[in-house]
Amino acid sequence: MFILSPGISCKEVAPEKNEQYSLENSTVTLSYRYSQQTTAGDEFYWYQQYPGKQPQFIISHLGTGRLLSDPVSGLSVTVREDEIHLDLQISSAALTDSAVYYCALSCDTTLQK
């Protein structure tokens, strides 16, 4: 009997703050820290979740900051120069932007030898 266990090499991305507050019509920056420097092949996916609802995809980008998805009005993403900090900016924040935000990334699921 042979058991093959795929080695999954995932890096971590975590929010810098668990909660953030702002005034309406201001710009809100949600910052996340990546466990290592980003690479061009890293893919980041951002989601927004309202209470009692499923998370909804909002935007995605590469580790270079280049968008993978269509631009979304009022949203922008930045990979900072140190390449371990990612920012999602919400311009002209409104009460309807009050939600939980998630940043996820694709994992390298190739077999490890």
Side-chain angles (χ1 to χ4, degrees), residues 25-73:
N25 295 318
S26 65
T27 297
V28 178
T29 301
L30 305 177
S31 298
Y32 284 71
R33 183 178 171 90
Y34 192 35
S35 62
Q36 63 185 50
Q37 286 188 325
T38 61
T39 65
D42 294 331
E43 296 178 4
F44 297 89
Y45 300 89
W46 296 84
Y47 296 85
Q48 178 186 53
Q49 184 177 19
Y50 293 107
K53 304 287 184 184
Q54 297 275 341
Q56 298 294 314
F57 170 79
I58 52 175
I59 199 164
S60 63
H61 63 92
L62 293 173
T64 60
R66 185 175 69 84
L67 288 181
L68 290 171
S69 60
D70 291 332
V72 176
S73 179

Side-chain angles (χ1 to χ4, degrees), residues 54-95:
Q54 297 275 341
Q56 298 294 314
F57 170 79
I58 52 175
I59 199 164
S60 63
H61 63 92
L62 293 173
T64 60
R66 185 175 69 84
L67 288 181
L68 290 171
S69 60
D70 291 332
V72 176
S73 179
L75 292 181
S76 61
V77 293
T78 304
V79 177
R80 289 192 227 159
E81 194 171 308
D82 65 8
E83 298 178 335
I84 59 171
H85 290 92
L86 313 165
D87 296 326
L88 174 69
Q89 292 92 23
I90 304 168
S91 62
S92 300
L95 188 57

Side-chain angles (χ1 to χ4, degrees), residues 17-22 27-31:
K17 295 180 182 177
N18 288 330
E19 293 183 351
Q20 191 155 341
Y21 302 92
S22 99
T27 297
V28 178
T29 301
L30 305 177
S31 298

Side-chain angles (χ1 to χ4, degrees), residues 2-6 111:
F2 294 91
I3 299 174
L4 295 176
S5 176
L111 292 176

